[in-house]
Amino acid sequence: MLTALHPYKDVTMTPDEYIKEFGIRIIGSVHDLRPRPRCRFCKQEMQIRAASTSHTHAHFAHMQKSGPCPSKVLNARPYLNKFPTKPNLEQASYLKKQFKQNWKQHYEFIRKNLIANLAPSELGHLLKEANRLHIWEYEGLQEHELPYVLCTLADFPQQDKKVFKQYARTLWTRCWFDSSLEDFNLLWIENSRPTGFWVACYTPPTGKQKIPRLDNLVKAERILIGSDYLQLQPHMSDKLIDYVEKILNENLK
């Protein structure tokens, strides 16, 4: 990473600026005594690398064993193609019923807080993925966590402005749970329930590039996982309600 946050101030700095202010590492020292720069996205401490070599460029990197960050591994899909080790069919029936009953709250929350302008067809795709991966069967999974889980099951490219008009999503979006665990079984069965959730947005890839790279990352926001949205009463058009309910009936049986 070519820029990071100042150790004490919310301003960005380059490796050269960091070295100018804090110097280079003391020769022979076991530990780097300089204050740590911070990641622009996850705010975790970072270190500076290749600052004293002539054949490589200085850059910032996360500390070893640091927590999740949208800037670290863009291609990882840790929750895909893994299944419940102890499926609970009664749990699955309950969660499907609750999601179908409160779909307006779930759908509105996703559209307004996680994935901008999530289209009904995109919701349908997420429900198909949830069925394929038996998401509903995870022991311990709670209803209010369903929107977060669903949004980790796919990437969300920009939308066609000719189709979606002024509501079109203009940035590529990807989500993660704020946890180092990479398996839904561990997230809930072993009571390692995550409290935070990352929503990262990228400029759309161009040319032969199919998915975003690190330099496409525009912004990332950590959201606290909560259930308050279930108390809201969204207002939707009859046309949208009919369309979404048809999708729900096709995928939640």
Side-chain angles (χ1 to χ4, degrees):
M1 191 178 295
L2 298 180
T3 60
L5 287 176
H6 188 282
Y8 312 125
K9 308 171 186 176
D10 287 332
V11 295
T12 58
M13 60 192 321
T14 65
D16 287 343
E17 290 170 335
Y18 176 83
I19 293 170
K20 183 177 180 180
E21 183 169 349
F22 299 106
I24 59 176
R25 184 168 179 166
I26 300 174
I27 188 170
S29 62
V30 177
H31 302 290
D32 190 345
L33 302 178
R34 296 170 296 177
R36 298 287 187 187
R38 297 170 294 140
C39 176
R40 292 186 291 123
F41 302 105
C42 68
K43 306 301 187 294
Q44 294 180 91
E45 290 187 342
M46 305 188 80
Q47 58 188 329
I48 190 166
R49 288 183 176 171
S52 57
T53 60
S54 58
H55 60 282
T56 56
H57 297 289
H59 62 278
F60 298 107
H62 284 82
M63 305 294 291
Q64 189 175 13
K65 296 183 180 180
S66 61
C69 176
S71 71
K72 289 169 65 176
V73 184
L74 299 185
N75 295 330
R77 311 230 179 185
Y79 311 111
L80 301 187
N81 298 315
K82 294 184 179 180
F83 303 90
T85 55
K86 298 179 180 179
N88 186 326
L89 298 182
E90 183 177 346
Q91 163 90 348
S93 178
Y94 171 78
L95 286 180
K96 287 181 179 180
K97 178 182 178 181
Q98 290 302 110
F99 189 88
K100 198 171 183 179
Q101 177 178 309
N102 299 317
W103 74 263
K104 293 180 183 178
Q105 286 87 345
H106 291 299
Y107 183 47
E108 187 77 352
F109 175 70
I110 294 175
R111 290 199 302 175
K112 297 295 179 63
N113 298 277
L114 304 181
I115 308 300
N117 194 42
L118 183 80
S121 58
E122 292 176 319
L123 175 63
H125 172 81
L126 296 181
L127 294 177
K128 286 182 172 65
E129 280 296 284
N131 291 337
R132 181 180 72 84
L133 297 169
H134 300 267
I135 294 298
W136 317 97
E137 298 172 19
Y138 278 99
E139 186 75 43
L141 178 60
Q142 298 180 12
E143 181 191 354
H144 75 271
E145 295 167 321
L146 289 173
Y148 304 97
V149 176
L150 290 175
C151 290
T152 66
L153 303 183
D155 269 16
F156 303 87
Q158 71 280 13
Q159 294 172 327
D160 188 342
K161 289 186 177 182
K162 294 181 180 179
V163 177
F164 294 95
K165 310 300 181 184
Q166 70 267 33
Y167 302 108
R169 184 171 59 244
T170 58
L171 296 174
W172 185 295
T173 307
R174 180 176 293 174
C175 301
W176 293 271
F177 279 103
D178 189 4
S179 170
S180 59
L181 299 175
E182 297 186 348
D183 191 328
F184 282 146
N185 288 294
L186 300 177
L187 285 175
W188 289 289
I189 288 182
E190 298 189 5
N191 296 319
S192 300
R193 178 166 267 104
T195 59
F197 189 77
W198 282 102
V199 178
C201 297
Y202 309 81
T203 54
T206 57
K208 294 182 180 180
Q209 184 184 341
K210 300 300 182 182
I211 60 175
R213 298 190 297 250
L214 174 56
D215 55 7
N216 295 115
L217 184 57
V218 175
K219 60 182 180 179
E221 180 182 6
R222 183 180 183 272
I223 298 171
L224 291 178
I225 295 174
S227 60
D228 290 349
Y229 73 90
L230 285 171
Q231 308 305 317
L232 303 177
Q233 295 298 323
H235 297 286
M236 301 179 181
S237 68
D238 291 341
K239 183 178 180 180
L240 178 60
I241 291 174
D242 290 342
Y243 189 11
V244 175
E245 287 186 341
K246 180 180 179 181
I247 291 174
L248 294 172
N249 291 330
E250 291 173 351
N251 292 284
L252 298 181
K253 298 178 181 179

